Amino acid sequence: MKLFFRWILPALATVFLAACGSVSTKSPLEPNSVGEQANKIEAGMNAYRDYHNGGTVKDLARARSLLGEAHESAPLNPMVQKFYYLAEFFNCIETAGDGLLDLVVLYRSLSPVVQRETPPPWRISYALIADTDSRRETIDPVLRALLKEEPFNASSWYMASKYYESQKAYWMSLAAAKRAVTLNSDTASYLYRYGEAVNDILQESPCSYDESAYARTAASYISRAAAKDPQQLYVDNSALQYLRLGLFPLAYSQAKKAWELEKNWWTATHYVQAALLTQHYNEAGPVIVYLQETHDDSQALVFEAQRQLGLGDKAAALLAVTQQQNKFTALYEKNAVKATLQHIQLAWVEALITQGGLNLGVDDVAVQSGWLQQIIDHIQQPIDASELMEAAATSCMETGAHFYQAISLWKSGALSDARTELSSTAKSKATLFDEYIWARILLEAKLL
């Protein structure tokens, strides 16, 4: 049942809190039994809380007994309905589906308001099947039955969105997430799921930076989730969205919070990127050390070279560049295209720092990418300064085109034109590309 609990417990936490705030209606009790009944309800609710907060099936059995008696006496009381149903719901889970038909009857007797705030019985059927068979031909009919059973239950739509995301059915996932957040826009997990679903669509684009409307929507919902529930995942992802949108001060603020909440590769990388792009060079230092020592990150030395240039220490920057260039062979074996592009970038940075000649050293490199071959040919034998830009099909490629045209122009001695191309790189949309960050650093350091 691990799959089930991973999806349903956050929603049930909301249900639990909503139950605590429910307003009870008067039940048909004799005046002298009101106090006794209230005590029984409270005792049943406490037993359920004990179970829900890590207790045992004994706590659940006690909750079922007490809440069952309360339900017999006050079947119309919303609070009694909710807690009694939740106790029976979890009992059905504990018994692997025994009593599911009785649970269906009980669910249908609940008031519409309580139904909307509690998980429908078909969710248990879904969980039992999903534990053994997650294929869409198996799950889709069950999900349809679940959503038909209670179409206004936001957590059911949330769960459907998570399932479709796992199956890479991103448009289905987005539609379900939108329905969940429409039904309940106050829950952080639903807001985050919708933003994450939009981001999944964004990532399917050949260049995510060309999909600004999706990017803004993802940023809006993820940041709203982070504001409601500032957990590391939400805050860090909001920082990433701000980085993509070029909103660097906001990105830095969120990335710093995420790093302070939890230190991992993602929070460290986003924090360093945001720090470099907002000139918080000293703050980036310890985080880069963390990436080097804890994760042996191949990008850490590049970050360090950028940081040192920002601080004005050319010697320290050159040392980091040299150390990274010595890793070229190992990096090339992992990702030939990325390693080659990084090698070209660092070769130019080295030449700018030392005021020497450009030594690409890629004559023996086996190029698998037509775009990469165009870049190499353009730098080695420039013909037309705009040829790469004309070949660029997306904003992502345009960012690289401006940068590598700058190298070609610099190599031919056209320094003013090279600076113009570098400025165009720093104004492009692909804000997390290495070429973009290098352009900003090099312009600020006045190396060109």
Side-chain angles (χ1 to χ4, degrees):
M1 302 299 291
K2 291 181 180 179
L3 179 65
F4 174 77
F5 278 104
R6 185 175 69 248
W7 284 343
I8 193 55
L9 283 182
L12 284 186
T14 302
V15 170
F16 179 79
L17 291 173
C20 294
S22 298
V23 177
S24 174
T25 59
K26 292 182 179 180
S27 54
L29 300 176
E30 294 298 327
N32 60 0
S33 65
V34 172
E36 179 183 346
Q37 182 66 16
N39 290 337
K40 191 169 293 183
I41 293 172
E42 183 66 26
M45 289 167 54
N46 287 335
Y48 173 78
R49 291 189 183 101
D50 290 342
Y51 167 77
H52 189 75
N53 294 324
T56 67
V57 291
K58 290 183 178 180
D59 297 311
L60 182 60
R62 184 160 52 90
R64 290 179 64 216
S65 175
L66 291 166
L67 291 168
E69 292 180 28
H71 187 258
E72 287 181 5
S73 301
L76 301 180
N77 185 314
M79 185 179 293
V80 173
Q81 282 189 1
K82 184 175 292 187
F83 274 90
Y84 177 54
Y85 174 78
L86 288 174
E88 292 299 318
F89 181 86
F90 274 100
N91 180 67
C92 196
I93 292 173
E94 295 284 1
T95 57
D98 287 350
L100 183 58
L101 294 179
D102 292 335
L103 189 66
V104 171
V105 173
L106 176 60
Y107 182 79
R108 290 173 179 168
S109 72
L110 302 176
S111 75
V113 173
V114 176
Q115 283 184 347
R116 284 196 294 270
E117 295 180 349
T118 52
W122 263 98
R123 198 168 299 174
I124 296 175
S125 300
Y126 167 79
L128 293 171
I129 295 171
D131 270 354
T132 57
D133 186 353
S134 62
R135 294 175 302 168
R136 286 199 53 184
E137 54 265 36
T138 304
I139 295 298
D140 277 14
V142 181
L143 271 177
R144 283 196 294 270
L146 188 155
L147 297 171
K148 183 179 179 181
E149 184 176 50
E150 180 44 83
F152 302 108
N153 189 292
S155 60
S156 294
W157 290 99
Y158 168 82
M159 184 173 62
S161 178
K162 292 289 289 183
Y163 169 73
Y164 285 125
E165 182 197 36
S166 73
Q167 298 298 302
K168 301 187 185 306
Y170 295 128
W171 285 104
M172 294 284 286
S173 175
L174 177 60
K178 185 175 182 179
R179 181 64 173 158
V181 83
T182 299
L183 290 167
N184 183 340
S185 60
D186 292 327
T187 300
S189 58
Y190 300 165
L191 291 167
Y192 181 78
R193 173 85 283 275
Y194 183 56
E196 190 179 33
V198 173
N199 188 61
D200 288 336
I201 299 296
L202 183 69
Q203 295 286 71
E204 291 292 283
S205 169
C207 179
S208 60
Y209 299 92
D210 286 330
E211 306 293 344
S212 57
Y214 284 113
R216 287 193 295 270
T217 300
S220 173
Y221 279 86
I222 290 173
S223 62
R224 285 168 61 187
K228 285 182 174 292
D229 181 11
Q231 59 171 283
Q232 174 268 320
L233 178 63
Y234 298 175
V235 177
D236 181 52
N237 209 332
S238 69
L240 173 60
Q241 303 305 325
Y242 288 139
L243 281 168
R244 285 175 173 166
L245 288 170
L247 302 173
F248 301 133
L250 285 172
Y252 177 78
S253 174
Q254 292 295 83
K256 184 176 182 179
K257 291 177 186 176
W259 168 252
E260 291 170 350
L261 286 168
E262 182 181 334
K263 293 175 173 54
N264 59 41
W265 183 87
W266 291 103
T267 59
T269 299
H270 297 153
Y271 187 22
V272 170
Q273 289 169 327
L276 292 174
L277 290 166
T278 53
Q279 302 177 17
H280 288 84
Y281 299 119
N282 288 323
E283 289 85 343
V287 192
I288 293 172
V289 172
Y290 166 86
L291 285 171
Q292 289 176 303
E293 296 181 349
T294 307
H295 296 278
D296 191 25
D297 187 78
S298 62
Q299 188 75 12
L301 283 169
V302 176
F303 286 149
E304 180 62 10
Q306 292 168 338
R307 186 180 84 89
Q308 293 294 351
L309 275 182
L311 290 170
D313 191 335
K314 295 180 182 179
L318 182 60
L319 176 61
V321 167
T322 303
Q323 290 175 332
Q324 184 68 4
Q325 289 289 59
N326 290 338
K327 295 184 175 184
F328 173 69
T329 301
L331 295 174
Y332 182 84
E333 292 175 354
K334 295 179 180 179
N335 188 327
V337 173
K338 181 178 179 180
T340 303
L341 286 173
Q342 184 186 89
H343 186 71
I344 295 170
Q345 295 160 16
L346 295 180
W348 190 39
V349 172
E350 180 179 4
L352 290 172
I353 293 175
T354 62
Q355 297 183 347
L358 179 65
N359 179 21
L360 288 185
V362 294
D363 294 337
D364 298 328
V365 170
V367 177
Q368 302 294 325
S369 163
W371 177 243
L372 176 56
Q373 187 64 63
Q374 284 182 282
I375 289 171
I376 293 173
D377 290 345
H378 179 69
I379 295 174
Q380 291 181 328
Q381 297 178 337
I383 300 172
D384 183 343
S386 63
E387 65 175 9
L388 282 182
M389 186 57 61
E390 293 172 356
T394 66
S395 293
C396 297
M397 296 173 74
E398 287 175 2
T399 299
H402 283 303
F403 186 84
Y404 298 111
Q405 284 176 178
I407 296 179
S408 176
L409 289 163
W410 170 85
K411 185 181 177 185
S412 64
L415 298 186
S416 177
D417 290 339
R419 280 192 291 270
T420 298
E421 287 295 321
L422 205 58
S423 295
S424 296
T425 310
K427 296 174 184 176
S428 66
K429 295 179 181 178
T431 52
L432 290 183
F433 273 40
D434 287 340
E435 293 89 346
Y436 177 92
I437 298 177
W438 269 123
R440 291 177 64 101
I441 295 290
L442 293 175
L443 287 168
E444 183 189 338
K446 295 182 171 54
L447 286 184
L448 190 61

